[in-house]
Amino acid sequence: MKDQDQKTLIVEDTIAKYEKYLNPSTAKLFRFMGLNTVEDRAIGSVIYDIHGKSYIDCLGGYGVFSVGHCNPKVIEAVKIQLEKMPLSSKLLFSKATGDLAELLAEITPGDLTYSFITNSGTESVEGSLKLACVHTGRKKVVSALNAFHGKSIGSLSVSGRDLYRKPFESLLFDVELVPFNDIPTIENVVDEDTAAVILEVIQGEGGIIIPSEDYLPKVRELCNKTGAILILDEVQTGLGRTGAMFASEHYNVVPDIITTAKALGGGVMPIGAFTARPHIWEKYIESPFLHTSTFGANPLACAAAIAAINFIKEEGLIERSEIMGKYFLEGLKEIQEQHPAVIKEVRGKGLMIGIDLFKEGVGGFLIAELIDKGVIVAYTLNNPKVMRIEPPLIITKEEIDYVLKVFKDAFAKAEEILEDL
Ligand SMILES: *Cc1c(COP(=O)(O)O)cnc(C)c1O
């Protein structure tokens, strides 16, 4: 059998297995978007499928691949740790864990000091909510409509999309959902019974929603006044994505607890963390086994995170994110001007960019067009009208130029199709 025929068979077989053993609907959706292929390898900003076709990754694993795919520095650090001791004895001290905790205290804003290291974003949120409740002795949590904080039951309880919430209600905590970026409403809701206010700094899955300058400072004030804990979920916005190490720095707000994950593992290992101000950690210090995790803080993942953070700092990826983000956004704004009937708005901070479309259906068509031309994008999970762009922060100008050209052609086609409808 020819090599290409064999590969085509692998593709068909893999999709069939998804249909039969994972979920027929996801398989159907992926097919509909033209994703009839199997990923094979990746380097930098580029993913190759099994046939050797290349794709510029503008989805970046929802923000996972900030230091690029298969970053050599991260891979090297993980390989060294892998051969020495990948998982912890859990009883002896681990150097990698200590080093990572110190780095997290150094890079997080203000006096955020103590970290608990998890395996994912949702675990970072769960741990933060528990900490806020045990610290305050309160049960009420305020979060935002359209927020995305993960899908385990505690995180889902503070997430703001009915589609994902309703089938599982009643959920946990006494949750009040308020519109994001609406100061009067949140002022009416946060009170002396509030354990925590949890917000994304920029709503990612909600559609790349950027708050006004005074929103987070006002929420900070409100939390100070009522004793509520401010949790900022920077699982997606953290580690350079928005042109700052943490997006909360844009607003000069220091939360009581900050969550990280996604990019923390350097695109190689799954890992997350939540980091808190010292006085908030008191209950966890009194009772250190109040919150634990078997795989949390494992040396392999910690080694990846240390290498990733160092790479972001040493390679100036924060500045790069800001510069490339501006360049990308300007290019997209030009395209928007040519298609005002299709694109409602383009907005973003650093390399976290959203293209807000007037019609939901256009997104699916665009994704298929872009995939065909070798560019990977997706829409945001809580808002299918918004295409999100979150490439590796190491993306080059030439790669951005190519993506812009592909976008330009795809939008021209989309407009033609809309006219035909
Ligand atoms: C992705 C995401 C999460 C959940 O992370 P998982 O690793 O998928 O559990 C939580 N909060 C935000 C803001 C996210 O973007």
Side-chain angles (χ1 to χ4, degrees):
M1 201 188 298
K2 278 210 212 85
D3 199 30
Q4 279 309 317
D5 293 346
Q6 209 155 20
K7 284 173 178 169
T8 305
L9 268 186
I10 293 175
V11 171
E12 280 167 14
D13 190 43
T14 303
I15 297 176
K17 283 176 186 167
Y18 269 65
E19 277 163 354
K20 209 166 163 195
Y21 303 114
L22 288 155
N23 192 322
S25 293
T26 20
K28 197 172 152 192
L29 178 68
F30 278 36
R31 269 188 199 277
F32 171 74
M33 293 191 295
L35 302 162
N36 295 308
T37 191
V38 167
E39 62 190 13
D40 187 44
R41 62 201 164 85
I43 184 81
S45 304
V46 181
I47 298 171
Y48 295 87
D49 74 6
I50 191 167
H51 300 297
K53 178 174 170 179
S54 66
Y55 302 83
I56 297 177
D57 186 8
C58 280
L59 172 59
Y62 311 125
V64 166
F65 298 107
S66 289
V67 298
H69 288 269
C70 292
N71 182 294
K73 290 265 167 65
V74 180
I75 299 264
E76 187 190 55
V78 169
K79 269 188 182 163
I80 291 170
Q81 191 62 47
L82 179 68
E83 281 167 9
K84 280 207 304 190
M85 189 170 184
L87 296 182
S88 168
S89 71
K90 302 304 281 186
L91 208 59
L92 304 182
F93 291 106
S94 159
K95 181 179 186 309
T97 305
D99 287 348
L100 175 59
E102 180 187 44
L103 258 183
L104 285 169
E106 183 198 308
I107 62 168
T108 48
D111 60 346
L112 291 159
T113 306
Y114 288 101
S115 287
F116 184 94
I117 299 164
T118 70
N119 307 285
S120 68
T122 198
E123 284 175 67
S124 304
V125 170
E126 298 273 346
S128 303
L129 291 169
K130 278 179 71 183
L131 181 57
C133 288
V134 78
H135 175 76
T136 58
R138 306 171 184 176
K139 284 275 149 45
K140 176 170 149 180
V141 179
V142 176
S143 66
L145 287 164
N146 267 330
F148 186 90
H149 297 295
K151 284 187 181 157
S152 57
I153 206 90
S155 305
L156 182 64
S157 302
V158 296
S159 290
R161 191 175 183 202
D162 274 351
L163 176 68
Y164 304 133
R165 292 176 57 90
K166 280 280 180 244
F168 303 99
E169 285 181 345
S170 67
L171 289 159
L172 303 178
F173 311 107
D174 170 13
V175 176
E176 292 225 31
L177 291 165
V178 295
F180 186 65
N181 198 25
D182 175 336
I183 294 170
T185 309
I186 202 165
E187 275 178 340
N188 274 328
V189 168
V190 176
D191 57 23
E192 268 74 24
D193 293 327
T194 308
V197 176
I198 179 164
L199 296 168
E200 294 156 89
V201 177
I202 294 169
Q203 284 195 328
E205 302 309 321
I208 319 291
I209 310 294
I210 303 168
S212 54
E213 291 293 320
D214 59 341
Y215 181 62
L216 290 171
K218 268 277 173 344
V219 175
R220 177 70 274 183
E221 241 177 74
L222 205 54
C223 289
N224 291 348
K225 214 167 67 193
T226 55
I229 299 298
L230 178 60
I231 304 169
L232 289 181
D233 182 354
E234 295 236 31
V235 164
Q236 195 162 146
T237 50
L239 302 164
R241 171 58 49 195
T242 68
M245 186 57 96
F246 287 92
S248 40
E249 293 167 34
H250 294 300
Y251 305 97
N252 291 315
V253 166
V254 179
D256 299 305
I257 309 175
I258 205 162
T259 61
T260 43
K262 294 207 163 96
L264 186 59
V268 175
M269 291 298 299
I271 182 170
F274 59 97
T275 305
R277 302 171 67 194
H279 68 285
I280 314 247
W281 214 251
E282 262 167 27
K283 286 286 193 296
Y284 279 11
I285 293 170
E286 278 169 27
S287 182
F289 298 109
L290 213 48
H291 194 69
T292 57
S293 162
T294 301
F295 290 125
N298 71 75
L300 198 59
C302 289
I306 294 164
I309 293 169
N310 286 333
F311 189 86
I312 289 167
K313 291 204 297 188
E314 284 158 17
E315 301 295 318
L317 289 196
I318 295 171
E319 297 74 26
R320 194 182 169 93
S321 168
E322 192 194 343
I323 294 164
M324 291 300 171
K326 278 207 175 111
Y327 184 71
F328 215 141
L329 198 63
E330 272 165 27
L332 288 170
K333 280 194 169 145
E334 276 173 30
I335 296 175
Q336 182 206 358
E337 278 162 23
Q338 290 154 4
H339 303 285
V342 186
I343 308 173
K344 193 162 140 195
E345 189 185 30
V346 290
R347 54 178 176 261
K349 251 198 201 314
L351 280 166
M352 186 170 183
I353 299 172
I355 307 173
D356 202 340
L357 305 168
F358 281 107
K359 281 209 174 77
E360 198 172 306
V362 180
F365 168 81
L366 279 171
I367 291 170
E369 269 301 300
L370 291 162
I371 288 289
D372 185 51
K373 300 287 176 320
V375 175
I376 288 183
V377 286
Y379 42 74
T380 54
L381 209 49
N382 285 350
N383 189 347
K385 279 189 195 152
V386 177
M387 309 282 292
R388 47 116 63 78
I389 297 180
E390 296 184 43
L393 308 181
I394 56 165
I395 193 168
T396 63
K397 226 170 167 181
E398 290 70 34
E399 285 167 332
I400 294 175
D401 285 337
Y402 178 76
V403 173
L404 285 170
K405 189 191 165 299
V406 170
F407 260 113
K408 200 174 159 184
D409 297 345
F411 274 111
K413 264 198 187 174
E415 183 131 50
E416 263 173 45
I417 283 170
L418 278 180
E419 274 165 15
D420 290 344
L421 290 178

